[in-house]
Amino acid sequence: MTPRLLVLHGPNLNLLGLREPDVYGYETLEQVNHKIGALASSLGVEVGFFQSNHEGGLIDRLHQAREEKVDGVIFNPGGYTHTSVALRDAIAGTELAVIEVHLSNVHAREPFRHHSYIAPVAIGQISGLGSEGYLLALRGFAARWSEAN
Ligand code: DQA
C-alpha cells in the first residue's frame, strides 16, 4: 500500500519567491513543491499539490481529498489560518489528518498571527523553519503512516 498525501497551499503562496522574501525566502512555490516531490518519492509517498487564493476553493479541495480517501494533508492556509472558521470546519468535518505548516514563525510576528483556527483540528503545527517545514511535515506524515499500517 502506498500512502497518499495532499499538499495544500493557501492564498498568496503562488507569489512565493517574489513576496516579502525577507520573511518567506527566495524559493518559488514550484521549487518548494519540487523538493517535497523528490523527498516524497524517496519515502514512497504519493503526493499531489494544490494552491488556491480562494477560501471556497480550498474547502472544495479538502472535500475532494476526503472522497479520494487521502491519508493526510500538509496545509499552509496562509492568512486564512487566522481568520477562517470555514476552513477549520472543513478539516473537522472531513476528519482529514492535517499537518499545519508556516514558513515564517507566526508566533514571533504580529499578534493577529498568533491565533490559528486550524491548529486545534490539526495533528500538529510546524512554524518558522522555512520550506524545510514542509519536508519535516512529510517525514512526520510518513512515520505516522508506517506506524499505523
Ligand atoms: C504564512 C503565515 C501567515 O500569517 C501569512 O498570512 C501567510 C504565510 C507562512 O507560511 O508563514 O500568508 O502562512
Side-chain angles (χ1 to χ4, degrees):
M1 229 172 23
T2 305
R4 288 183 308 130
L5 175 73
L6 170 68
V7 178
L8 197 54
H9 302 287
N12 300 306
L13 291 163
N14 55 311
L15 295 181
L16 220 55
L18 301 170
R19 166 195 187 211
E20 301 179 80
D22 45 318
V23 179
Y24 299 116
Y26 287 93
E27 277 174 305
T28 64
L29 189 60
E30 203 185 332
Q31 288 168 332
V32 171
N33 284 345
H34 185 79
K35 287 204 313 199
I36 299 169
L39 179 62
S41 21
S42 80
L43 293 173
V45 172
E46 196 182 304
V47 67
F49 300 93
F50 185 77
Q51 189 274 331
S52 177
N53 293 321
H54 305 277
E55 197 173 21
L58 295 165
I59 292 168
D60 287 345
R61 191 63 189 84
L62 286 166
H63 292 184
Q64 191 186 325
R66 175 184 161 275
E67 278 162 29
E68 293 165 354
K69 296 188 170 39
V70 304
D71 299 294
V73 181
I74 293 176
F75 189 16
N76 183 346
Y80 287 140
T81 307
H82 320 296
T83 63
S84 182
V85 173
L87 274 171
R88 180 245 173 252
D89 286 351
I91 295 167
T94 55
E95 295 182 358
L96 287 161
V98 170
I99 304 178
E100 178 183 348
V101 170
H102 300 286
L103 295 151
S104 64
N105 180 357
V106 288
H107 303 288
R109 297 182 64 195
E110 304 94 323
F112 65 82
R113 295 187 204 275
H114 296 178
H115 177 259
S116 168
Y117 279 98
I118 307 305
V121 290
I123 58 178
Q125 186 196 59
I126 299 173
S127 179
L129 300 179
S131 63
E132 190 65 29
Y134 291 100
L135 305 181
L136 292 168
L138 170 53
R139 288 188 189 281
F141 163 77
R144 265 177 67 97
W145 189 88
S146 300
E147 267 166 39
N149 290 273

